[in-house]
Each structure stands twice: as C-alpha cells, then as structure tokens.
Amino acid sequence: MVALMALSFSFTFVSCSDDNDDTDNTEQAKAIAGTYKGYSIGESRMFSDYLMGDDASATITANTDGTVNLVYKSGSGDFILNNLTVSSKSFKGEGEPANYEYTLEGSVSDAKVLTLKANVPVPMGGIDINFIQAETPIAYYVAATYKYNTNLAISVMGSSYGSTEDCKAVIKRASETTVDITLNGFGNLTGGGNMNLGDFTISGVNVEKADDGYTLSLGAFESAAESASGTTPITGESLEGTVTANGKANITVAFNPGAMPMAI
C-alpha cells in the first residue's frame, strides 16, 4: 500500500498587536523569552490530529518596553508577530496579511512550557495549528489513509481467496507509540470466494522505529466487522507490518471471522 500525504500549507504572516496602554511587563517579557522546540498538530474539517511539522520552533524575544516579538515556525509555514503585550505570561495577536486573516495566542508556564495556538479561518473551513513542546510521538509518522496503488489479497490455508485494488487502510494515532488500523475492501474481492465482510478496526497496534521506516506489530486481538448484513465478530491471531520512510505500507493480518475455524 502507498500513503500519499498530500496536505500542505504555506503561511507567512506579519502582524502587530493592538496598541494598549503600556504597563511595566519587562520582567514578564524577559521570563518568557527563549526558543521553544517541539511539533505542530493541525485540526480542520478535512483532518484531525494531523502532523503539520515534526521540527517546529517558537522564538520569543523580549523588547525593552515589556512587549515581545514571536517567530513561530510551525513546519507548514511561519507566523511572525511583533510588539505583543504580555499579561500573566500570556499574549495574543491577530493580523490581516495578503493571504488569510488569523489569530494567535499563547502562554508560558512557570516551568517554561509554551502553549501556542494559531487559528486561520480559511481555507478548508478553518485550521487550528497547535504547538506542542515535546518530542514528536512515533505514532504520528505512520498515521495516514493508505488508499492509492493498494492491493488487498486474502488466502486461507495457503490458497488464494481473492484480491482487490478497491481497498484502503486508515491508520490513526491512539497513543504516543500505538495506532488503530481500520481495514476496508473485503466486500470487493474478486477471483475467489465471496466474503461478505465489512470494515473492522484493530486497536492498539505497536509502532517501533526501524532502519528504513517503522514496524507495526500486535498479538491476539478482538474486533467486529460491520456490514449491511450485520456484525461479524473478529478473532485476531496477529498483525505484522511495515511503513517505509517513503510512505509505503505493508500489513499482514491473521484472523478468524465469525465461527470460521481456519485463520485468514
């Protein structure tokens, strides 16, 4: 299977905050100044929990008047805001650049942890981009919908039970090191038996780093396949797979649908 992660964004914004009565926030500005490293996650109507950048950074510079300048490199574009007023180690700004209007707000805790969120009302009905000050969880690197140049092949006791290219696998992050995998296409098999089996999800699949990408693994599992004819219980024996650095996924699952005595 091949994953094509075609979403990309390019934002370059320059803005100044609204003028407010100056207060002596010089010490607060100095306290939150610094460079913060982490990753960026996007949310929109088209996607959620999407890795926008795995090498994001936010640099806050203190000005002599108690305001701060911010340069946020999200991994999918840069946000640049100047002369932001600081209150309780928090700040916010907005702008109307040539591309899109946007708002951005953030705060720094006493432990020097930055929380930062940018909202762009357009495109795609709006995008929220959140900065997370931490190392990028490994599960994000395999999370995607794999639906191009795909092939689903079934065999029972070594004999082919049909195949189809009308299929997909959807991998979603479940935790920092695990994902949930939904398999689709069993009802489209040709060249073998007629399997009236709906989609089913395999939860808690382990993700580990490998030389040329990542490995997927899981032992016994339980699931359920939903179709127009009803629900079929799935008893899984194992899952093994890989996702290469260039986005090709290969997944092998052994399971018994319903009361079927032999594993598929």
Side-chain angles (χ1 to χ4, degrees):
M1 301 180 183
V2 177
L4 297 182
M5 303 182 71
L7 295 172
S8 64
F9 306 91
S10 178
F11 304 127
T12 303
F13 301 140
V14 179
S15 171
C16 295
S17 64
D18 293 337
D19 291 334
N20 294 312
D21 293 337
D22 288 339
T23 57
D24 188 12
N25 290 327
T26 303
E27 293 304 315
Q28 284 194 54
K30 289 180 179 179
I32 68 174
T35 296
Y36 302 83
K37 295 185 180 296
Y39 60 97
S40 298
I41 297 301
E43 303 280 347
S44 77
R45 294 179 182 176
M46 294 182 61
F47 55 81
S48 64
D49 199 28
Y50 182 81
L51 182 63
M52 306 281 288
D54 64 353
D55 188 23
S57 68
T59 299
I60 299 175
T61 305
N63 299 319
T64 57
D65 62 358
T67 64
V68 296
N69 299 337
L70 171 70
V71 178
Y72 171 33
K73 296 182 178 294
S74 71
S76 293
D78 298 344
F79 296 82
I80 303 172
L81 301 99
N82 297 316
N83 304 321
L84 298 173
T85 299
V86 180
S87 176
S88 300
K89 294 185 178 180
S90 299
F91 53 86
K92 61 182 178 180
E94 61 183 28
E96 298 181 5
N99 293 357
Y100 305 106
E101 297 181 357
Y102 73 98
T103 60
L104 186 147
E105 59 183 46
S107 63
V108 178
S109 70
D110 291 339
K112 209 71 183 289
V113 175
L114 172 66
T115 300
L116 188 63
K117 178 180 179 180
N119 173 261
V120 186
V122 291
M124 294 179 292
I127 304 171
D128 287 331
I129 302 176
N130 294 281
F131 173 81
I132 311 296
Q133 187 180 330
E135 184 177 349
T136 307
I138 192 172
Y140 277 116
Y141 292 107
V142 300
T145 297
Y146 299 78
K147 62 180 180 179
Y148 300 105
N149 301 320
T150 56
N151 182 72
L152 172 65
I154 300 296
S155 63
V156 179
M157 299 183 66
S159 299
S160 174
Y161 206 73
S163 65
T164 181
E165 294 181 353
D166 186 7
C167 58
K168 64 181 179 181
V170 179
I171 302 181
K172 295 184 177 181
R173 183 184 71 90
S175 71
E176 291 192 354
T177 59
T178 63
V179 294
D180 296 340
I181 302 177
T182 300
L183 302 177
N184 163 277
F186 295 100
N188 303 322
L189 297 172
T190 58
N194 182 18
M195 180 174 290
N196 186 21
L197 188 65
D199 301 356
F200 64 90
T201 299
I202 304 164
S203 301
V205 178
N206 301 302
V207 183
E208 294 184 358
K209 186 74 174 72
D211 290 339
D212 185 36
Y214 306 89
T215 61
L216 308 171
S217 64
L218 185 65
F221 64 88
E222 300 290 332
S223 186
E226 304 290 342
S227 66
S229 60
T231 301
T232 302
I234 301 294
T235 303
E237 294 185 359
S238 64
L239 180 148
E240 296 179 350
T242 59
V243 178
T244 63
N246 62 357
K248 294 182 179 180
N250 187 293
I251 302 170
T252 301
V253 185
F255 66 96
N256 299 67
M260 187 171 181
M262 300 87 69
I264 294 176

